[in-house]
């Protein structure tokens, strides 16, 4: 049975409702956040707002306080859901490294099967232009891609996220390009909710003081819930309020939390800063980009995958510059080279060369004759190397490299009979 993308997802995310909702691996912390919001609001409505229903004229005006508290709480919870249950901007990972970036470096060679083979290299970083200024982007070994500008790999979710801001444990999700707006609205709305609860609780204390003609201490004893709510709201206000102020600064300067903490001491130019007004427009007035992932789509496994490193029997190199060439094309070129050699040397030159060397001829010379004249043997696959030129087409040298000749298994007696067969 075919599997869907979310079922074979390599990240650490958790999916529910058949891949329709995506959370981070620490989604359980979301329950704590919900309790920290819902429980104080319930206490607020039961022990404070209920007693204020008829304290204002007309008699039913106090219900507005209750309605505002409930609606505002639902609004905050909706923003929390939009922040934590959607794709933050995950970039789909590749199944293999980018092939267009591969380069064969002849200066760095590895020994494979007794042969010196050019090493497969590709740059770890490259530069892209952002607003006319070059920006260096890095290669991600896990996702096997070059991260776009402002993208970073989250070690908790194990994904590369566009415009990565941070991973927030309170919402159990990464904060990135597609949910940063909702995250800021959630934090700022939580700040306003704290102010609202604190203000109405203080108002209720004031009402109790007026009703009982008592001091503030006696009023606080009459409603300990109001005191607890005021203390809780005040402490929470330091966290969510401070976070709201910090992100207002980041939005105004077009920075992310990750960039601010990492590059704070570098004093580098912020190439993304469009000006305070345009920066706010970019965050709040631009359309949210669609997700790059379709988690409910059926997973299609690739039939063939290009190997990361070159095989000694499948991949050839055209010349010392380092451009790869297919094996079939390379074998055809080698066959043409052998034909040219046979045309340059006539039979007498070959026979004279063999006789002059005699029995003390090195083994690779007999292999040379057999490689040039034997029609029933396949030409060996050649690998270009900066230090060992096999056929030397550009240098004009037609000497065969010793390591290639050493692979020939033709006996010396057969090499001596080859000229006779040629004469026939």
């Amino acid at each position: 049975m075919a599997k869907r993308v979310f079922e074979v997802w390599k990240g650490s995310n958790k999916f529910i409702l058949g891949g329709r909702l995506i959370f981070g691996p620490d989604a359980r912390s979301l329950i704590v956040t919900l309790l920290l919001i819902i429980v104080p609001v319930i206490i607020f409505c039961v022990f404070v707002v209920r007693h204020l229903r008829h304290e204002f004229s007309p008699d039913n005006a106090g219900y507005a306080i209750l309605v505002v508290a409930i609606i505002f709480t639902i609004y905050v919870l909706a923003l929390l859901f939009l922040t934590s249950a959607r794709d933050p901007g995950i970039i789909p990972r590749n199944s293999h490294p980018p092939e267009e970036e591969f380069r064969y470096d002849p200066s760095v060679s590895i020994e494979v099967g007794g042969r010196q083979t050019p090493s497969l290299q590709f740059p770890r970083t490259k530069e892209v232009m952002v607003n006319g200024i070059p920006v260096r982007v890095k290669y991600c070994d896990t996702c096997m891609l070059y991260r776009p500008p402002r993208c970073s790999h989250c070690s908790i979710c194990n994904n590369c996220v566009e415009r990565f801001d941070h991973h927030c444990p309170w919402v159990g999700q990464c904060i990135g390009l597609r949910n940063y707006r909702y995250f800021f609205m959630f934090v700022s709305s939580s700040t306003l909710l704290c102010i609202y609860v604190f203000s109405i609780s203080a108002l209720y204390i004031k009402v109790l003081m007026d009703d009982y003609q008592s001091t503030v201490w006696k009023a606080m004893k009459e409603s300990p819930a109001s005191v607890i709510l005021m203390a809780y709201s005040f402490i929470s206000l330091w966290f969510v309020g401070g976070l709201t102020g910090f992100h207002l600064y980041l939005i105004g300067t077009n920075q992310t939390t990750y960039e601010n903490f990492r590059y704070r001491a570098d004093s580098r130019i912020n190439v993304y800063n469009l000006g305070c007004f345009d920066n706010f427009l970019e965050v709040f007035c631009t359309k949210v980009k669609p997700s790059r992932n379709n988690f409910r789509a059926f997973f299609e496994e690739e039939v063939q995958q290009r190997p990361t490193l070159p095989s000694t029997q499948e991949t050839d190199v055209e010349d010392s510059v380092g451009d790869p060439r297919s094996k079939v094309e390379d074998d055809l070129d080698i066959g043409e080279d052998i034909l040219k050699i046979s045309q340059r040397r006539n039979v007498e030159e070959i026979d004279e060369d063999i006789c002059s060397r005699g029995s003390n001829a090195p083994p690779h010379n007999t292999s040379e004759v057999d490689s040039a004249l034997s029609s029933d043997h396949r030409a060996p696959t050649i690998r270009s190397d900066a230090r060992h030129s096999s056929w030397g087409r550009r240098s004009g040298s037609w000497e065969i490299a010793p390591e290639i000749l050493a692979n020939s298994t033709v006996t010396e007696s057969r090499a001596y009979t080859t000229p006779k067969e040629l004469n026939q």
Side-chain angles (χ1 to χ4, degrees):
M1 182 177 178
K3 294 185 178 181
R4 298 185 183 270
V5 172
F6 76 92
E7 295 177 319
V8 295
W9 188 253
K10 295 182 179 180
S12 304
N13 303 90
K14 294 181 179 179
F15 299 88
I16 62 173
L17 299 180
R20 291 178 175 86
L21 302 179
I22 175 175
F23 297 88
D26 50 351
R28 291 183 178 179
S29 62
L30 189 61
I31 300 176
V32 178
T33 305
L34 290 173
L35 293 177
L36 291 175
I37 297 174
I38 297 175
V39 172
V41 171
I42 293 176
I43 296 175
F44 174 71
C45 293
V46 173
F47 294 98
V48 176
V49 179
R50 183 171 62 91
H51 299 291
L52 295 175
R53 290 175 298 171
H54 307 291
E55 291 294 333
F56 305 95
S57 58
D59 291 340
N60 295 329
Y63 283 97
I65 300 176
L66 180 62
V67 172
V68 171
I70 294 175
I71 293 178
F72 204 56
T73 303
I74 294 175
Y75 173 70
V76 171
L77 295 178
L79 291 173
L80 175 61
F81 176 79
L82 290 174
T83 303
S84 60
R86 69 184 303 160
D87 178 6
I90 300 174
I91 300 179
R93 63 183 65 194
N94 293 328
S95 57
H96 51 76
E99 300 177 2
E100 65 274 6
E101 300 293 340
F102 284 141
R103 296 291 183 271
Y104 287 85
D105 189 358
S107 62
V108 180
S109 59
I110 57 176
E111 185 173 346
V112 180
R115 301 179 182 180
Q116 292 294 327
T117 305
S119 177
L120 187 64
Q121 303 287 333
F122 62 95
R124 307 298 300 177
T125 62
K126 66 177 183 179
E127 288 188 348
V128 296
M129 301 300 294
V130 177
N131 297 328
I133 300 176
V135 176
R136 187 179 66 175
V137 295
K138 297 181 180 180
Y139 177 79
C140 179
D141 293 307
T142 303
C143 300
M144 291 186 287
L145 52 82
Y146 284 98
R147 303 169 188 162
R150 314 193 84 175
C151 172
S152 184
H153 189 90
C154 177
S155 59
I156 299 177
C157 293
N158 195 25
N159 295 311
C160 280
V161 180
E162 286 187 276
R163 201 185 185 276
F164 177 77
D165 190 87
H166 69 289
H167 183 93
C168 181
W170 297 104
V171 302
Q173 183 65 283
C174 285
I175 308 302
L177 178 67
R178 300 189 68 251
N179 63 349
Y180 179 79
R181 176 187 305 175
Y182 303 107
F183 169 77
F184 176 80
M185 295 174 65
F186 163 70
V187 173
S188 58
S189 300
S190 300
T191 301
L192 296 177
L193 182 61
C194 289
I195 295 175
Y196 182 77
V197 172
F198 182 90
S199 302
I200 300 300
S201 298
L203 177 63
Y204 182 54
I205 295 294
K206 180 65 171 60
V207 170
L208 291 176
M209 290 175 61
D210 295 339
D211 291 344
Y212 294 98
Q213 298 295 323
S214 60
T215 62
V216 64
W217 297 108
K218 291 183 179 181
M220 292 172 64
K221 289 181 180 180
E222 290 291 331
S223 179
S226 298
V227 179
I228 296 175
L229 287 172
M230 289 175 63
Y232 177 79
S233 300
F234 181 79
I235 296 174
S236 300
L237 189 61
W238 280 97
F239 290 97
V240 293
L243 198 58
T244 301
F246 175 66
H247 280 278
L248 282 173
Y249 163 74
L250 293 180
I251 294 173
T253 57
N254 208 328
Q255 299 183 68
T256 64
T257 304
Y258 178 81
E259 293 168 350
N260 181 266
F261 278 87
R262 181 165 184 176
Y263 306 123
R264 180 183 301 173
D266 290 354
S267 65
R268 63 174 62 185
I269 300 176
N270 186 3
V271 299
Y272 310 104
N273 192 356
L274 305 175
C276 184
F277 182 74
D278 290 335
N279 291 336
F280 274 90
L281 290 179
E282 183 182 52
V283 173
F284 297 106
C285 300
T286 56
K287 185 179 179 180
V288 178
K289 293 184 178 180
S291 175
R292 292 173 178 249
N293 305 278
N294 185 4
F295 299 108
R296 290 184 48 77
F298 288 101
F299 176 72
E300 297 180 1
E301 188 174 359
E302 294 186 5
V303 179
Q304 295 181 351
Q305 293 184 354
R306 182 164 182 168
T308 304
L309 293 176
S311 172
T312 57
Q313 297 180 353
E314 297 178 357
T315 308
D316 295 319
V317 183
E318 180 176 352
D319 50 35
S320 59
V321 177
D323 293 331
R325 182 174 57 187
S326 65
K327 186 176 186 302
V328 175
E329 181 182 352
D330 189 68
D331 289 344
L332 292 175
D333 291 340
I334 294 173
E336 294 176 1
D337 294 339
I338 295 176
L339 180 60
K340 292 178 181 180
I341 294 175
S342 62
Q343 292 175 350
R344 290 193 175 190
R345 292 186 173 185
N346 54 30
V347 178
E348 289 78 6
E349 293 178 23
I350 297 176
D351 195 6
E352 180 182 354
D353 180 50
I354 296 174
C355 294
S356 63
R357 298 183 182 184
S359 61
N360 58 351
H364 68 272
N365 291 332
T366 61
S367 301
E368 176 181 354
V369 177
D370 186 66
S371 299
L373 301 176
S374 177
S375 60
D376 60 340
H377 276 265
R378 183 186 180 94
T381 301
I382 306 302
R383 293 183 174 275
S384 64
D385 189 273
R387 293 171 294 179
H388 303 285
S389 177
S390 299
W391 295 97
R393 297 182 59 183
R394 297 193 175 186
S395 62
S397 174
W398 295 99
E399 294 182 3
I400 304 177
E403 61 267 24
I404 297 176
L405 295 174
N407 293 328
S408 176
T409 58
V410 183
T411 60
E412 184 177 355
S413 60
R414 181 179 174 181
Y416 282 112
T417 59
T418 303
K420 296 180 181 180
E421 295 174 359
L422 186 60
N423 289 330
Q424 293 177 356

